[in-house]
Amino acid sequence: MESVLEQMDWVVLAVYFLALIGVAIWVVLQKNKDTADYFLAGRNVGWFVIGASIFASNIGSEHVVGLAGTGAESGMPMAHYELHAWIVLLLGWLFLPFYMRSKVFTMPEFLEKRFDSRSRWFLSIFSLVGYVITKVSVTIYAGGIVVSELLGIPFWYGAIGIVVFTGAYTIIGGMKAVIYTETLQTIVLIAGSLIITYLGLQEVGGWTELRATVGSDHFNMWRSMSDPDFPWTGMLFGGTIVGIWYWCTDQYIVQRTLAANNIKIGRRGAIFGAYLKILPIFIFLIPGIIAFALAKQGVLTYDKADEVFPVLVKTLLPTGLKGLVAGGLMAALMSSLASVFNSCSTIFTIDIYKKLRPATPEKKLLNIGRIATTLVVFLGIVWIPIMNKIGGGVLYQYLQSVQSYIAPPIAAVFVLGILWKRVNSQAAIITLFSGLVIAALRIAAEIGKEGLSGIAYEFATINFAHMAIFMFIFSVVVCISTSLATTAPDYATIKGLAFGTLTKEQVAETKNSFTWVDVILSVLLVIVVISVLLYFTG
């Protein structure tokens, strides 16, 4: 296997890595004084860095490899998930004030303050397991594909090499290293991907020729309600449920906004991140469609959908630019891994170890967090072979299907817990556990569906996005009915953590945390999202 990179590409790639190492060393030299420094960068990060970090954390290898592959295979339906930019606004406007007010490090910690320790334990363990099966394994798998294709080395060498390099600066530098290196990675990733989109459109003959070559189906986000893969009802409503879980309640994303020193900065970071979130449609999904068109024109060939983006790099880019885009791909891989490493480390250290041993000194907690990463990486590697049996073997579809099963109960508990003060701890834990049982049954049924029949087979083959809707409705019903059937919470203990419990001072603080500029930018983003939804109709 030979590398597609030439001498100038290696020079460009080397410059990128040297810049990355320089940023990491600069951060490490500042040293982490305590857990707030290590896990939340001292709560002193600006809005630009927060927004870039949100984008870089989200846009990992599953987008570079998986979204482009889905674009080639199925066209535009998955764009619904990329238009969740409006949900990032929900994080800044609805959820973040409650999180910042509670002064928590983690989402499980917030659940304990809002409900009780049982919910905290559940979400801590559930999140760690979820990161292994939806983030770590996906990122390592995709990293192996990309590095193998570009550098001409075996899959496992590429995968493990990326893990070791990323793990090194994440373990040493903590959240500061992650969040500042992600700012650089965001710039490189966007620049490289825009170049490949531009050159791809030129090669295919322009936008009009692209539409004519691939046909109207590939440009239609709105498939029939009975479509087996991408029904519009599932994409729009089921996708929104997954989006609320991912963008508004998941440690992986929310931790970036918690690194701000006040609500205003955190919200502006979320607004900036929301604008960046629209880009994947044009820098990953459209290139996948371009690859499909070029394959029809005989310009390039690919064996599997997940190879599309690396093949585009090989085919379209001149020397030097290949190195830049290779750097962008590496950036996506490393930013995703660094984020999940840091999130796992935070949850394990703060929500599990410190909970069991509250008297542990700060220095020891930092070391515990570093050690925890190793186990998470190992489990992620072990899970990779199972991934191909879920989601039809298409990476991005695998990710969305698994997330559709684990998101609904968590989203229901957080949303209802903030919107309605009557939700109590009993309702929260019952909703979380009942959702877990259904999710486990569904994943097991999907893996072994060939041997099933009757109702069991029907259950295993319900569209993943429709399954999210059913599970969310079930979770909401369980949460509300349990709350009404049991004792109301002590409202004094949850003051400021749900609507109906806010003091006049807290209401005033929230009103003073934004300006008309924030409102106008948010409304403009919603208009852009609606415009894209209306344009891609086939």
Side-chain angles (χ1 to χ4, degrees):
M1 190 184 288
E2 290 185 14
S3 170
V4 301
L5 302 184
E6 298 173 44
Q7 187 174 0
M8 183 53 68
D9 298 314
W10 285 107
V11 170
V12 172
L13 197 56
V15 169
Y16 163 69
F17 271 100
L18 285 173
L20 195 64
I21 291 167
V23 172
I25 290 172
W26 171 72
V27 171
V28 169
L29 289 175
Q30 296 184 56
K31 296 184 179 177
N32 292 292
K33 296 186 278 296
D34 53 27
T35 48
D37 241 15
Y38 188 79
F39 295 120
L40 293 179
R43 294 190 191 264
N44 195 31
V45 178
W47 64 267
F48 183 89
V49 175
I50 289 170
S53 181
I54 286 173
F55 176 79
S57 298
N58 170 241
I59 306 305
S61 51
E62 73 274 13
H63 281 78
V64 175
V65 174
L67 193 54
T70 303
E73 186 113 329
S74 311
M76 288 301 296
M78 278 294 183
H80 280 284
Y81 285 93
E82 301 318 304
L83 290 175
H84 284 170
W86 69 271
I87 300 177
V88 188
L89 295 181
L90 272 187
L91 168 62
W93 287 100
L94 175 63
F95 290 84
L96 186 61
F98 291 96
Y99 297 155
M100 296 288 278
R101 206 176 287 124
S102 66
K103 294 182 168 54
V104 296
F105 277 68
T106 68
M107 294 299 93
E109 191 181 359
F110 177 80
L111 281 193
E112 180 175 40
K113 290 195 171 187
R114 175 60 182 87
F115 300 115
D116 63 9
S117 60
R118 294 176 300 173
S119 297
R120 179 177 184 168
W121 276 110
F122 178 94
L123 190 59
S124 301
I125 295 167
F126 190 83
S127 295
L128 289 175
V129 173
Y131 287 150
V132 170
I133 65 175
T134 67
K135 289 187 174 72
V136 178
S137 57
V138 166
T139 305
I140 296 171
Y141 171 75
I145 290 175
V146 171
V147 176
S148 172
E149 288 284 330
L150 291 178
L151 305 188
I153 59 177
F155 167 82
W156 285 106
Y157 289 10
I160 292 169
I162 284 286
V163 168
V164 171
F165 183 85
T166 309
Y169 73 75
T170 307
I171 289 167
I172 296 169
M175 182 64 158
K176 279 183 185 172
V178 173
I179 210 164
Y180 285 107
T181 53
E182 281 180 340
T183 305
L184 171 63
Q185 289 163 334
T186 295
I187 295 166
V188 173
L189 178 58
I190 292 173
S193 300
L194 282 173
I195 288 168
I196 205 165
T197 303
Y198 173 74
L199 292 178
L201 280 172
Q202 276 196 323
E203 184 71 27
V204 86
W207 188 259
T208 305
E209 184 61 28
L210 175 65
R211 294 198 63 149
T213 303
V214 302
S216 62
D217 268 2
H218 249 63
F219 271 80
N220 186 10
M221 290 175 61
W222 302 91
R223 301 290 168 86
S224 159
M225 207 169 138
S226 58
D227 187 278
D229 297 316
F230 308 108
W232 73 265
T233 43
M235 293 293 100
L236 189 61
F237 301 113
T240 296
I241 292 162
V242 175
I244 290 173
W245 162 73
Y246 180 85
W247 291 105
C248 302
T249 76
D250 192 15
Q251 182 70 22
Y252 183 69
I253 295 296
V254 176
Q255 190 168 343
R256 272 100 203 102
T257 57
L258 295 180
N261 61 11
N262 58 52
I263 297 172
K264 180 182 284 188
I265 298 297
R267 182 186 291 114
R268 285 183 178 170
I271 293 171
F272 179 48
Y275 273 92
L276 294 177
K277 175 60 184 165
I278 297 173
L279 289 176
I281 293 174
F282 304 101
I283 62 177
F284 301 126
L285 196 56
I286 295 296
I289 296 175
I290 290 170
F292 178 69
L294 291 175
K296 288 185 81 169
Q297 292 175 353
V299 176
L300 56 76
T301 58
Y302 52 86
D303 297 322
K304 290 196 309 182
D306 289 340
E307 294 174 359
V308 162
F309 206 89
V311 168
L312 280 172
V313 173
K314 282 184 187 178
T315 308
L316 297 180
L317 297 184
T319 302
L321 280 181
K322 278 182 189 171
L324 177 66
V325 174
L329 295 176
M330 303 287 189
L333 304 174
M334 290 187 291
S335 63
S336 234
L337 268 183
S339 296
V340 75
F341 287 170
N342 191 250
S343 296
C344 287
S345 176
T346 307
I347 288 175
F348 180 82
T349 307
I350 301 298
D351 290 309
I352 295 177
Y353 194 88
K354 190 177 179 182
K355 187 79 176 161
L356 293 172
R357 299 190 176 184
T360 306
E362 291 280 305
K363 268 194 175 179
K364 186 174 181 181
L365 286 176
L366 299 187
N367 291 330
I368 293 297
R370 289 164 179 152
I371 292 167
T373 302
T374 309
L375 180 61
V376 174
V377 173
F378 172 75
L379 292 173
I381 293 171
V382 169
W383 183 260
I384 289 173
I386 301 170
M387 286 168 43
N388 284 329
K389 294 193 174 184
I390 306 177
V394 179
L395 186 63
Y396 197 68
Q397 194 171 329
Y398 156 82
L399 185 68
Q400 297 303 344
S401 64
V402 173
Q403 289 182 342
S404 294
Y405 312 145
I406 67 177
I410 299 173
V413 166
F414 270 91
V415 171
L416 289 173
I418 284 175
L419 294 181
W420 190 35
K421 66 179 182 179
R422 182 65 176 77
V423 178
N424 59 23
S425 58
Q426 197 69 13
I429 197 65
I430 289 174
T431 303
L432 291 171
F433 267 109
S434 58
L436 173 62
V437 170
I438 295 175
L441 289 173
R442 167 62 191 228
I443 291 174
E446 193 167 338
I447 291 172
K449 63 186 175 186
E450 289 82 5
L452 300 176
S453 60
I455 294 174
Y457 183 78
E458 292 294 323
F459 175 71
T461 54
I462 296 171
N463 175 269
F464 68 90
H466 280 161
M467 191 69 195
I469 299 172
F470 298 145
M471 288 184 65
F472 184 73
I473 293 171
F474 170 80
S475 297
V476 168
V477 170
V478 169
C479 194
I480 291 175
S481 57
T482 306
S483 294
L484 294 174
T486 51
T487 309
D490 178 0
Y491 298 129
T493 64
I494 60 168
K495 188 179 291 183
L497 302 181
F499 283 109
T501 68
L502 300 178
T503 64
K504 288 181 181 179
E505 292 76 18
Q506 289 168 340
V507 172
E509 180 191 21
T510 302
K511 283 182 178 177
N512 293 329
S513 68
F514 62 87
T515 67
W516 281 109
V517 174
D518 302 317
V519 175
I520 291 168
L521 287 173
S522 298
V523 171
L524 185 61
L525 179 84
V526 173
I527 292 170
V528 171
V529 168
I530 292 171
S531 301
V532 175
L533 286 169
L534 294 175
Y535 178 79
F536 289 103
T537 55

